[in-house]
Amino acid sequence: MIKVSESASKKIIEMMKDDGFDASTDFVRVGVKSGGCSGLSYELKFDKEINDSDKVFEDSNVKIAVEKKSYLYLIGTILEYSGGLNGKGFVFNNPNAQRTCGCGESFSL
């Protein structure tokens, strides 16, 4: 399962509304792709449709869709949001990552 912190939930719901999505019916699609300075990078986008190959979760009033292949890399991840002057934006706290880059947007296993 993927968890969403309270701060990330508030920001996601706000951003979904700004982009014309409805958090009560639409999804945050989380994924992993090849690339980034550590080998794998995170993807985060809004989506209105679920695919047959998706795992679907709901946490903190946010629906999350993850393709099964990406899910293997993301089990136990907590999506957080850090704002403010030194904030990074969305942060993936992934217990499966053995190494991450300085920006936190890529990782390796």
XYZ file of all heavy atoms in Angstrom:
832
model
N 0.839 -1.191 0.000
C 0.000 0.000 0.000
C 0.873 1.239 0.000
O 1.987 1.229 0.511
C -0.908 -0.015 1.222
C -1.798 1.168 1.314
S -3.072 0.897 2.564
C -4.090 2.280 2.228
N 0.370 2.297 -0.563
C 1.035 3.591 -0.562
C 0.232 4.523 0.333
O -0.980 4.621 0.197
C 1.148 4.157 -1.987
C 2.033 3.227 -2.822
C 1.695 5.572 -1.973
C 2.078 3.580 -4.272
N 0.905 5.186 1.237
C 0.262 6.098 2.183
C 0.455 7.536 1.703
O 1.414 7.852 1.006
C 0.881 5.960 3.574
C 0.689 4.605 4.211
C -0.653 4.558 4.833
C -0.778 3.365 5.758
N -2.082 3.273 6.313
N -0.455 8.411 2.119
C -0.390 9.839 1.786
C -0.463 10.618 3.087
O -1.405 10.444 3.868
C -1.561 10.247 0.859
C -1.492 11.720 0.524
C -1.559 9.402 -0.407
N 0.537 11.458 3.343
C 0.525 12.262 4.557
C -0.576 13.316 4.481
O -1.102 13.605 3.399
C 1.876 12.949 4.773
O 2.048 13.997 3.842
N -0.918 13.879 5.612
C -1.962 14.904 5.654
C -1.592 16.118 4.804
O -2.414 16.648 4.061
C -2.221 15.339 7.101
C -3.381 16.291 7.243
C -3.665 16.647 8.694
O -3.462 15.804 9.577
O -4.097 17.802 8.923
N -0.321 16.550 4.889
C 0.107 17.719 4.106
C 0.058 17.421 2.608
O -0.345 18.269 1.809
C 1.506 18.178 4.522
O 2.451 17.151 4.313
N 0.456 16.205 2.205
C 0.395 15.833 0.789
C -1.052 15.740 0.315
O -1.374 16.170 -0.786
C 1.122 14.515 0.561
N -1.915 15.200 1.155
C -3.327 15.086 0.806
C -3.934 16.459 0.526
O -4.619 16.651 -0.484
C -4.089 14.392 1.932
O -5.478 14.435 1.694
N -3.694 17.401 1.411
C -4.240 18.755 1.227
C -3.738 19.368 -0.075
O -4.507 19.970 -0.835
C -3.855 19.642 2.408
C -4.597 19.313 3.677
C -4.140 20.207 4.815
C -4.823 19.818 6.117
N -4.357 20.616 7.249
N -2.447 19.219 -0.354
C -1.866 19.810 -1.560
C -2.386 19.113 -2.816
O -2.699 19.760 -3.822
C -0.338 19.741 -1.500
C 0.340 20.518 -2.592
C 0.027 22.009 -2.470
C 0.789 22.824 -3.480
N 0.479 24.244 -3.422
N -2.506 17.791 -2.777
C -3.022 17.048 -3.935
C -4.450 17.464 -4.244
O -4.790 17.734 -5.402
C -2.941 15.524 -3.684
C -1.484 15.067 -3.748
C -3.805 14.753 -4.671
C -1.256 13.657 -3.262
N -5.293 17.518 -3.225
C -6.694 17.905 -3.439
C -6.781 19.320 -4.010
O -7.549 19.582 -4.943
C -7.492 17.755 -2.122
C -7.614 16.266 -1.771
C -8.866 18.404 -2.233
C -8.127 15.972 -0.383
N -5.973 20.215 -3.503
C -5.934 21.594 -4.011
C -5.478 21.628 -5.473
O -6.091 22.287 -6.315
C -4.972 22.415 -3.132
C -4.713 23.822 -3.613
C -3.611 24.486 -2.795
O -3.561 24.301 -1.566
O -2.784 25.204 -3.402
N -4.413 20.900 -5.782
C -3.882 20.889 -7.151
C -4.842 20.214 -8.124
O -4.975 20.648 -9.275
C -2.517 20.202 -7.178
C -1.423 20.993 -6.492
S 0.141 20.096 -6.424
C 0.621 20.136 -8.152
N -5.500 19.146 -7.682
C -6.470 18.476 -8.548
C -7.601 19.430 -8.922
O -7.993 19.507 -10.085
C -7.027 17.230 -7.865
C -6.054 16.072 -7.787
S -6.743 14.605 -7.009
C -7.396 13.758 -8.453
N -8.079 20.159 -7.930
C -9.158 21.119 -8.185
C -8.695 22.182 -9.179
O -9.416 22.521 -10.126
C -9.593 21.760 -6.868
C -10.778 22.677 -7.000
C -11.214 23.212 -5.660
C -12.385 24.163 -5.819
N -12.803 24.740 -4.548
N -7.483 22.697 -8.987
C -6.932 23.721 -9.883
C -6.788 23.215 -11.322
O -6.897 23.984 -12.265
C -5.567 24.204 -9.388
C -5.659 25.030 -8.109
O -6.777 25.450 -7.731
O -4.598 25.246 -7.470
N -6.525 21.903 -11.469
C -6.319 21.319 -12.795
C -7.591 20.712 -13.388
O -7.540 20.023 -14.410
C -5.233 20.240 -12.735
C -3.834 20.828 -12.588
O -3.683 22.059 -12.617
O -2.882 20.031 -12.445
N -8.748 20.915 -12.736
C -10.010 20.425 -13.278
C -10.332 18.982 -12.940
O -11.173 18.363 -13.594
N -9.667 18.441 -11.937
C -9.945 17.080 -11.487
C -10.740 17.132 -10.195
O -10.700 18.124 -9.467
C -8.638 16.309 -11.252
C -7.897 15.978 -12.517
C -7.011 16.888 -13.082
C -8.078 14.757 -13.153
C -6.330 16.592 -14.240
C -7.400 14.453 -14.316
C -6.519 15.369 -14.863
N -11.438 16.048 -9.895
C -12.236 15.946 -8.677
C -11.640 14.842 -7.811
O -11.659 13.664 -8.184
C -13.684 15.617 -9.039
C -14.597 15.500 -7.836
O -14.114 15.538 -6.682
O -15.812 15.357 -8.047
N -11.111 15.195 -6.658
C -10.438 14.228 -5.781
C -11.379 13.126 -5.299
O -10.911 12.049 -4.918
C -9.798 14.943 -4.596
N -12.674 13.357 -5.331
C -13.604 12.322 -4.868
C -13.827 11.230 -5.920
O -14.264 10.137 -5.587
C -14.938 12.944 -4.464
O -15.596 13.495 -5.584
N -13.510 11.511 -7.194
C -13.718 10.518 -8.252
C -12.457 10.222 -9.068
O -12.352 9.153 -9.648
C -14.819 10.976 -9.220
O -14.454 12.255 -9.776
C -16.154 11.090 -8.517
N -11.526 11.163 -9.138
C -10.326 11.001 -9.963
C -9.161 10.485 -9.115
O -9.257 10.382 -7.903
C -9.977 12.322 -10.642
C -11.085 12.791 -11.581
O -11.778 11.933 -12.162
O -11.259 14.010 -11.721
N -8.052 10.182 -9.759
C -6.938 9.490 -9.132
C -5.626 10.251 -9.269
O -5.437 11.012 -10.207
C -6.749 8.119 -9.791
C -7.933 7.227 -9.637
C -9.002 7.311 -10.512
C -7.994 6.313 -8.606
C -10.107 6.497 -10.373
C -9.097 5.490 -8.447
C -10.150 5.587 -9.329
N -4.725 9.956 -8.360
C -3.328 10.341 -8.503
C -2.620 9.084 -8.998
O -2.691 8.032 -8.358
C -2.711 10.796 -7.158
C -1.231 11.055 -7.319
C -3.425 12.018 -6.637
N -2.003 9.186 -10.147
C -1.274 8.046 -10.696
C 0.190 8.181 -10.285
O 0.844 9.175 -10.572
C -1.403 7.999 -12.213
C -0.677 6.804 -12.817
C -1.098 6.579 -14.244
N -2.506 6.205 -14.352
C -2.986 4.990 -14.074
N -2.191 4.039 -13.637
N -4.274 4.735 -14.216
N 0.681 7.166 -9.576
C 2.052 7.138 -9.100
C 2.754 6.007 -9.828
O 2.210 4.908 -9.962
C 2.109 6.908 -7.570
C 3.533 6.893 -7.083
C 1.309 7.977 -6.842
N 3.972 6.276 -10.304
C 4.697 5.247 -11.026
C 6.193 5.403 -10.910
O 6.702 6.360 -10.310
N 6.890 4.447 -11.504
C 8.344 4.425 -11.531
C 8.762 4.204 -12.977
O 8.164 3.394 -13.683
C 8.890 3.276 -10.646
C 10.383 3.126 -10.803
C 8.519 3.508 -9.203
N 9.772 4.928 -13.422
C 10.298 4.735 -14.769
C 11.822 4.744 -14.715
O 12.413 5.245 -13.747
C 9.785 5.813 -15.723
C 10.268 7.210 -15.398
C 9.734 8.224 -16.386
C 10.271 9.607 -16.024
N 9.848 10.616 -16.959
N 12.439 4.213 -15.736
C 13.896 4.235 -15.820
C 14.362 5.661 -16.053
O 13.737 6.413 -16.796
C 14.384 3.364 -16.980
O 14.087 2.021 -16.733
N 15.456 6.030 -15.397
C 16.023 7.361 -15.588
C 16.372 7.994 -14.268
O 16.250 7.387 -13.206
N 16.820 9.215 -14.326
C 17.244 9.914 -13.124
C 18.673 9.558 -12.778
O 19.242 8.588 -13.277
N 19.270 10.313 -11.901
C 20.689 10.120 -11.583
C 20.956 8.874 -10.755
O 22.083 8.436 -10.652
C 21.253 11.366 -10.909
S 20.284 11.981 -9.539
N 19.926 8.250 -10.185
C 20.134 7.024 -9.410
C 19.590 5.779 -10.111
O 19.650 4.692 -9.561
C 19.480 7.152 -8.032
O 20.150 8.110 -7.256
N 19.034 5.924 -11.305
C 18.591 4.769 -12.077
C 17.098 4.669 -12.294
O 16.642 4.268 -13.347
N 16.301 5.000 -11.290
C 14.847 4.970 -11.399
C 14.305 6.304 -10.914
O 14.842 6.894 -9.986
C 14.255 3.846 -10.540
C 14.650 2.426 -10.911
C 14.236 1.451 -9.818
C 14.039 2.020 -12.242
N 13.234 6.777 -11.524
C 12.636 8.029 -11.076
C 11.136 7.859 -10.879
O 10.510 6.971 -11.448
C 12.932 9.172 -12.055
O 12.384 8.912 -13.313
N 10.591 8.725 -10.047
C 9.166 8.688 -9.710
C 8.361 9.490 -10.712
O 8.823 10.498 -11.241
C 8.945 9.282 -8.319
C 9.632 8.532 -7.213
C 10.761 9.057 -6.596
C 9.153 7.302 -6.774
C 11.397 8.382 -5.570
C 9.783 6.612 -5.749
C 10.905 7.166 -5.151
O 11.532 6.485 -4.138
N 7.129 9.043 -10.946
C 6.165 9.782 -11.757
C 4.942 10.055 -10.894
O 4.534 9.205 -10.105
C 5.726 8.968 -12.967
C 6.781 8.741 -14.000
C 6.209 7.997 -15.193
O 5.703 6.869 -15.012
O 6.274 8.553 -16.297
N 4.368 11.217 -11.078
C 3.185 11.601 -10.323
C 2.330 12.466 -11.238
O 2.798 13.494 -11.735
C 3.616 12.395 -9.079
C 2.572 12.775 -8.056
C 2.038 11.539 -7.350
C 3.190 13.704 -7.018
N 1.087 12.023 -11.504
C 0.184 12.807 -12.346
C -1.248 12.482 -11.969
O -1.519 11.497 -11.279
C 0.440 12.547 -13.830
C 0.151 11.127 -14.269
C 0.474 10.950 -15.744
C 0.164 9.535 -16.185
N 0.426 9.345 -17.605
N -2.177 13.291 -12.436
C -3.595 13.065 -12.184
C -4.191 12.275 -13.347
O -3.758 12.400 -14.483
C -4.333 14.392 -12.014
C -3.765 15.249 -10.924
C -3.548 16.595 -11.128
C -3.452 14.717 -9.687
C -3.033 17.395 -10.120
C -2.932 15.495 -8.675
C -2.724 16.847 -8.894
N -5.203 11.467 -13.034
C -5.802 10.612 -14.052
C -7.275 10.407 -13.718
O -7.664 10.428 -12.550
C -5.075 9.267 -14.082
C -5.269 8.513 -15.384
O -6.187 8.853 -16.166
O -4.500 7.568 -15.627
N -8.085 10.185 -14.753
C -9.512 9.949 -14.577
C -9.893 8.495 -14.818
O -11.002 8.094 -14.532
C -10.320 10.838 -15.528
C -10.225 12.319 -15.207
C -11.037 13.127 -16.186
C -10.981 14.608 -15.864
N -11.880 14.999 -14.799
N -8.962 7.692 -15.354
C -9.286 6.324 -15.726
C -8.367 5.322 -15.047
O -7.192 5.577 -14.839
C -9.180 6.156 -17.243
C -10.190 6.995 -17.993
C -10.144 6.756 -19.480
O -9.719 5.664 -19.907
O -10.530 7.661 -20.212
N -8.943 4.172 -14.740
C -8.202 3.075 -14.140
C -7.986 2.003 -15.212
O -8.899 1.695 -15.969
C -8.988 2.486 -12.944
C -9.099 3.522 -11.840
C -8.347 1.222 -12.420
C -7.778 3.972 -11.270
N -6.793 1.446 -15.245
C -6.468 0.365 -16.177
C -6.603 -0.979 -15.464
O -6.528 -1.051 -14.240
C -5.041 0.533 -16.700
C -4.839 1.848 -17.400
O -5.701 2.305 -18.135
N -3.702 2.477 -17.159
N -6.759 -2.042 -16.245
C -6.874 -3.378 -15.666
C -5.628 -3.770 -14.881
O -5.701 -4.579 -13.959
C -7.131 -4.418 -16.762
C -8.520 -4.282 -17.372
O -9.407 -3.698 -16.708
O -8.707 -4.755 -18.499
N -4.482 -3.216 -15.251
C -3.220 -3.579 -14.595
C -2.908 -2.699 -13.382
O -1.813 -2.787 -12.829
C -2.064 -3.496 -15.595
O -1.910 -2.166 -16.049
N -3.847 -1.871 -12.957
C -3.614 -0.963 -11.826
C -3.998 -1.581 -10.489
O -4.962 -2.338 -10.397
C -4.434 0.328 -11.987
C -3.915 1.233 -13.072
O -2.724 1.134 -13.423
O -4.707 2.045 -13.567
N -3.242 -1.230 -9.479
C -3.648 -1.453 -8.092
C -4.184 -0.108 -7.617
O -3.607 0.924 -7.919
C -2.472 -1.885 -7.233
C -2.016 -3.299 -7.510
C -1.104 -3.758 -6.400
C -0.934 -5.245 -6.406
N -1.996 -5.958 -5.748
N -5.282 -0.110 -6.885
C -5.926 1.131 -6.463
C -6.026 1.152 -4.943
O -6.393 0.163 -4.319
C -7.333 1.268 -7.094
C -8.011 2.540 -6.635
C -7.231 1.232 -8.611
N -5.669 2.298 -4.359
C -5.706 2.498 -2.916
C -6.390 3.819 -2.629
O -6.466 4.687 -3.495
C -4.296 2.578 -2.324
C -3.417 1.448 -2.725
C -2.533 1.582 -3.777
C -3.471 0.252 -2.041
C -1.712 0.534 -4.147
C -2.650 -0.801 -2.405
C -1.775 -0.654 -3.454
N -6.817 3.985 -1.405
C -7.292 5.295 -0.957
C -6.716 5.545 0.426
O -6.781 4.681 1.302
C -8.814 5.367 -0.915
C -9.300 6.760 -0.566
C -10.781 6.968 -0.793
O -11.434 6.098 -1.389
O -11.293 8.013 -0.361
N -6.123 6.713 0.603
C -5.570 7.093 1.896
C -5.685 8.607 2.032
O -5.400 9.342 1.081
C -4.106 6.649 2.014
C -3.567 6.807 3.421
O -4.227 6.332 4.361
O -2.498 7.422 3.584
N -6.097 9.060 3.173
C -6.216 10.497 3.461
C -7.045 11.224 2.412
O -6.667 12.296 1.929
C -4.832 11.140 3.583
O -4.092 10.544 4.619
N -8.161 10.609 2.001
C -9.094 11.195 1.025
C -8.510 11.345 -0.376
O -8.998 12.153 -1.165
C -9.615 12.549 1.515
C -10.372 12.421 2.811
O -11.207 11.536 2.957
N -10.069 13.276 3.765
N -7.463 10.583 -0.681
C -6.845 10.617 -2.003
C -6.855 9.204 -2.573
O -6.424 8.260 -1.919
C -5.389 11.146 -1.926
C -4.691 11.017 -3.270
C -5.357 12.585 -1.447
N -7.355 9.081 -3.805
C -7.341 7.797 -4.505
C -6.035 7.709 -5.291
O -5.667 8.642 -5.996
C -8.538 7.700 -5.437
C -9.856 7.573 -4.710
C -11.004 7.527 -5.712
C -12.333 7.345 -5.036
N -12.737 8.462 -4.201
N -5.374 6.563 -5.176
C -4.069 6.369 -5.799
C -4.150 5.174 -6.745
O -4.640 4.110 -6.361
C -2.995 6.095 -4.733
C -2.955 7.241 -3.729
C -1.624 5.885 -5.366
C -2.266 6.882 -2.442
N -3.654 5.353 -7.958
C -3.573 4.265 -8.928
C -2.101 4.015 -9.232
O -1.342 4.951 -9.488
C -4.314 4.630 -10.210
N -1.712 2.739 -9.182
C -0.328 2.355 -9.459
C -0.345 1.132 -10.362
O -0.996 0.136 -10.048
C 0.425 1.990 -8.155
C 1.881 1.657 -8.448
C 0.329 3.092 -7.137
N 0.368 1.209 -11.478
C 0.503 0.041 -12.333
C 1.223 -1.053 -11.545
O 2.150 -0.776 -10.781
C 1.287 0.407 -13.591
C 1.365 -0.731 -14.572
C 2.200 -0.385 -15.782
O 3.148 0.401 -15.667
O 1.898 -0.949 -16.840
N 0.793 -2.298 -11.717
C 1.335 -3.398 -10.918
C 2.855 -3.482 -10.973
O 3.507 -3.773 -9.977
C 0.714 -4.721 -11.344
C -0.727 -4.855 -10.917
C -1.350 -6.154 -11.365
C -2.817 -6.176 -10.980
N -3.508 -7.340 -11.506
N 3.447 -3.219 -12.137
C 4.901 -3.292 -12.274
C 5.586 -2.243 -11.385
O 6.560 -2.535 -10.700
C 5.298 -3.105 -13.736
C 6.765 -3.316 -14.005
C 7.074 -3.352 -15.485
C 6.900 -1.982 -16.099
N 7.369 -1.903 -17.489
N 5.049 -1.033 -11.354
C 5.615 0.028 -10.509
C 5.363 -0.248 -9.037
O 6.169 0.121 -8.174
C 5.010 1.384 -10.869
O 5.451 1.829 -12.121
N 4.250 -0.897 -8.733
C 3.883 -1.151 -7.344
C 4.972 -1.930 -6.606
O 5.237 -1.685 -5.428
C 2.552 -1.888 -7.274
C 2.133 -2.225 -5.869
C 1.777 -1.218 -4.979
C 2.124 -3.535 -5.419
C 1.417 -1.521 -3.670
C 1.748 -3.844 -4.131
C 1.400 -2.830 -3.254
O 1.054 -3.124 -1.963
N 5.628 -2.855 -7.285
C 6.683 -3.650 -6.648
C 7.794 -2.765 -6.081
O 8.406 -3.105 -5.077
C 7.265 -4.656 -7.644
C 6.283 -5.701 -8.162
C 6.931 -6.540 -9.262
C 5.781 -6.584 -7.035
N 8.047 -1.634 -6.729
C 9.088 -0.705 -6.271
C 8.580 0.243 -5.180
O 9.371 0.886 -4.500
C 9.590 0.159 -7.429
C 10.262 -0.619 -8.529
C 9.620 -0.824 -9.746
C 11.545 -1.138 -8.362
C 10.240 -1.523 -10.766
C 12.170 -1.837 -9.376
C 11.508 -2.025 -10.572
O 12.121 -2.719 -11.592
N 7.256 0.362 -5.054
C 6.674 1.401 -4.200
C 5.972 0.881 -2.946
O 5.437 1.682 -2.177
C 5.677 2.225 -5.026
C 6.274 2.988 -6.201
C 5.173 3.556 -7.083
C 7.184 4.092 -5.713
N 5.977 -0.416 -2.718
C 5.291 -0.979 -1.545
C 5.802 -0.302 -0.278
O 7.004 -0.229 -0.036
C 5.506 -2.500 -1.464
C 4.849 -3.197 -2.639
C 4.976 -3.053 -0.149
C 5.203 -4.663 -2.766
N 4.885 0.217 0.516
C 5.243 0.846 1.784
C 5.651 2.306 1.694
O 5.986 2.921 2.701
N 5.614 2.883 0.507
C 6.025 4.274 0.326
C 5.013 5.231 0.952
O 3.810 4.995 0.914
C 6.175 4.592 -1.179
O 7.244 3.801 -1.694
C 6.466 6.062 -1.426
N 5.523 6.306 1.514
C 4.681 7.386 2.043
C 4.943 8.620 1.198
O 6.091 9.057 1.074
C 4.988 7.674 3.526
C 4.758 6.432 4.372
C 4.129 8.838 4.018
C 5.226 6.569 5.805
N 3.891 9.162 0.610
C 3.985 10.383 -0.173
C 3.758 11.556 0.766
O 2.733 11.639 1.432
C 2.952 10.380 -1.296
C 2.927 11.595 -2.217
C 4.270 11.785 -2.916
C 1.810 11.458 -3.235
N 4.749 12.440 0.840
C 4.663 13.601 1.722
C 4.822 14.874 0.908
O 5.276 14.837 -0.229
C 5.730 13.511 2.810
C 5.554 12.271 3.679
C 6.435 12.280 4.897
O 6.310 13.219 5.692
O 7.226 11.349 5.037
N 4.460 15.985 1.513
C 4.630 17.289 0.871
C 5.317 18.221 1.848
O 4.907 18.352 3.002
C 3.281 17.885 0.451
C 3.441 19.204 -0.263
C 3.803 19.242 -1.598
C 3.276 20.402 0.412
C 3.983 20.443 -2.259
C 3.448 21.611 -0.251
C 3.811 21.627 -1.576
O 3.997 22.813 -2.223
N 6.369 18.856 1.369
C 7.108 19.814 2.183
C 7.102 21.153 1.467
O 7.673 21.290 0.393
C 8.549 19.316 2.378
O 9.297 20.260 3.090
N 6.427 22.130 2.045
C 6.364 23.462 1.435
C 7.308 24.412 2.140
O 8.222 24.006 2.847
N 7.106 25.692 1.948
C 7.936 26.695 2.609
C 9.156 27.068 1.792
O 9.355 26.604 0.684
N 10.016 27.882 2.373
C 11.183 28.399 1.652
C 12.163 27.304 1.247
O 12.750 27.355 0.178
C 11.909 29.439 2.511
C 11.127 30.726 2.769
C 11.900 31.617 3.733
C 10.878 31.465 1.469
N 12.386 26.344 2.102
C 13.326 25.270 1.797
C 12.625 23.978 1.404
O 13.267 22.934 1.332
C 14.236 24.999 3.000
C 15.156 26.160 3.269
O 15.623 26.802 2.336
N 15.409 26.438 4.530
N 11.323 24.051 1.164
C 10.547 22.857 0.844
C 10.907 22.288 -0.508
O 11.320 22.994 -1.419
N 10.747 20.984 -0.658
C 11.062 20.287 -1.892
C 9.824 19.999 -2.725
O 9.924 19.493 -3.810
C 11.730 18.953 -1.581
C 13.093 19.037 -0.997
C 13.624 17.620 -0.815
C 15.039 17.607 -0.319
N 15.551 16.241 -0.180
N 8.634 20.223 -2.189
C 7.416 19.809 -2.870
C 7.070 18.404 -2.436
O 7.220 18.047 -1.266
N 6.657 17.548 -3.371
C 6.303 16.179 -3.022
C 7.558 15.348 -2.813
O 8.517 15.437 -3.579
C 5.419 15.559 -4.103
C 4.042 16.141 -4.119
C 3.687 17.084 -5.068
C 3.114 15.771 -3.163
C 2.417 17.643 -5.077
C 1.843 16.326 -3.157
C 1.501 17.263 -4.110
N 7.534 14.540 -1.766
C 8.671 13.702 -1.399
C 8.177 12.269 -1.246
O 7.175 12.024 -0.575
C 9.303 14.181 -0.070
C 10.440 13.275 0.352
C 9.769 15.626 -0.185
N 8.872 11.326 -1.870
C 8.565 9.904 -1.754
C 9.478 9.312 -0.695
O 10.683 9.226 -0.897
C 8.803 9.190 -3.089
C 7.839 9.564 -4.162
C 8.034 10.704 -4.930
C 6.737 8.775 -4.420
C 7.153 11.043 -5.941
C 5.842 9.105 -5.430
C 6.051 10.250 -6.185
N 8.919 8.904 0.433
C 9.691 8.196 1.448
C 9.503 6.709 1.189
O 8.528 6.110 1.620
C 9.239 8.593 2.854
C 9.714 9.978 3.213
O 10.825 10.363 2.866
N 8.881 10.739 3.877
N 10.455 6.156 0.450
C 10.358 4.796 -0.053
C 11.292 3.883 0.746
O 12.512 3.987 0.621
C 10.732 4.787 -1.540
C 10.540 3.447 -2.180
O 10.397 2.429 -1.522
N 10.556 3.442 -3.505
N 10.738 2.960 1.542
C 11.583 2.064 2.336
C 12.355 1.056 1.484
O 13.293 0.433 1.974
C 10.580 1.350 3.249
C 9.310 1.364 2.486
C 9.314 2.672 1.737
N 12.005 0.908 0.217
C 12.679 -0.037 -0.677
C 13.920 0.559 -1.325
O 14.748 -0.172 -1.845
C 11.716 -0.498 -1.771
C 10.450 -1.065 -1.197
O 10.475 -2.014 -0.441
N 9.321 -0.445 -1.515
N 14.040 1.873 -1.312
C 15.168 2.546 -1.960
C 16.429 2.365 -1.125
O 16.462 2.699 0.053
C 14.864 4.028 -2.141
N 17.459 1.825 -1.744
C 18.735 1.663 -1.048
C 19.625 2.880 -1.225
O 20.504 3.126 -0.426
C 19.448 0.410 -1.555
C 18.698 -0.848 -1.196
C 19.374 -2.091 -1.724
O 20.395 -2.023 -2.388
N 18.800 -3.234 -1.424
N 19.376 3.626 -2.290
C 20.153 4.836 -2.557
C 19.247 5.843 -3.242
O 18.446 5.479 -4.108
C 21.324 4.492 -3.474
C 22.280 5.634 -3.717
C 23.417 5.184 -4.578
N 22.881 4.646 -5.832
C 23.507 4.696 -6.989
N 24.688 5.200 -7.082
N 22.948 4.202 -8.078
N 19.319 7.091 -2.845
C 18.546 8.153 -3.494
C 19.486 9.268 -3.913
O 20.592 9.395 -3.397
C 17.470 8.738 -2.554
O 18.108 9.289 -1.407
C 16.473 7.669 -2.125
N 19.021 10.092 -4.838
C 19.835 11.227 -5.259
C 19.577 12.399 -4.310
O 18.672 12.355 -3.480
C 19.500 11.603 -6.689
S 17.824 12.237 -6.895
N 20.332 13.455 -4.456
C 20.194 14.617 -3.582
C 18.858 15.312 -3.696
O 18.339 15.839 -2.720
N 18.251 15.283 -4.875
C 16.963 15.969 -5.053
C 15.794 15.112 -4.597
O 14.689 15.608 -4.450
C 16.784 16.382 -6.520
S 16.606 15.014 -7.667
N 16.023 13.809 -4.383
C 14.958 12.929 -3.922
C 13.998 12.465 -4.994
O 12.986 11.837 -4.707
N 14.294 12.759 -6.255
C 13.388 12.390 -7.333
C 13.765 11.093 -8.026
O 13.051 10.612 -8.878
C 13.311 13.522 -8.365
C 12.651 14.759 -7.781
C 12.560 15.893 -8.780
O 12.789 15.657 -9.987
O 12.269 17.013 -8.353
N 14.919 10.521 -7.677
C 15.284 9.235 -8.245
C 15.901 8.352 -7.164
O 16.315 8.834 -6.113
C 16.222 9.410 -9.440
O 17.484 9.849 -9.041
N 15.943 7.050 -7.469
C 16.416 6.102 -6.467
C 16.923 4.842 -7.162
O 16.739 4.659 -8.362
C 15.304 5.750 -5.478
C 14.173 4.959 -6.074
C 14.087 3.595 -5.877
C 13.188 5.576 -6.838
C 13.041 2.858 -6.427
C 12.147 4.857 -7.394
C 12.069 3.489 -7.179
N 17.546 3.975 -6.398
C 17.927 2.656 -6.887
C 17.637 1.635 -5.804
O 17.509 1.984 -4.625
C 19.406 2.616 -7.301
O 20.216 2.801 -6.163
N 17.536 0.388 -6.214
C 17.238 -0.699 -5.262
C 18.491 -1.496 -4.981
O 19.403 -1.563 -5.704
C 16.164 -1.618 -5.834
C 14.828 -0.943 -6.128
C 13.881 -1.926 -6.779
C 14.209 -0.408 -4.856
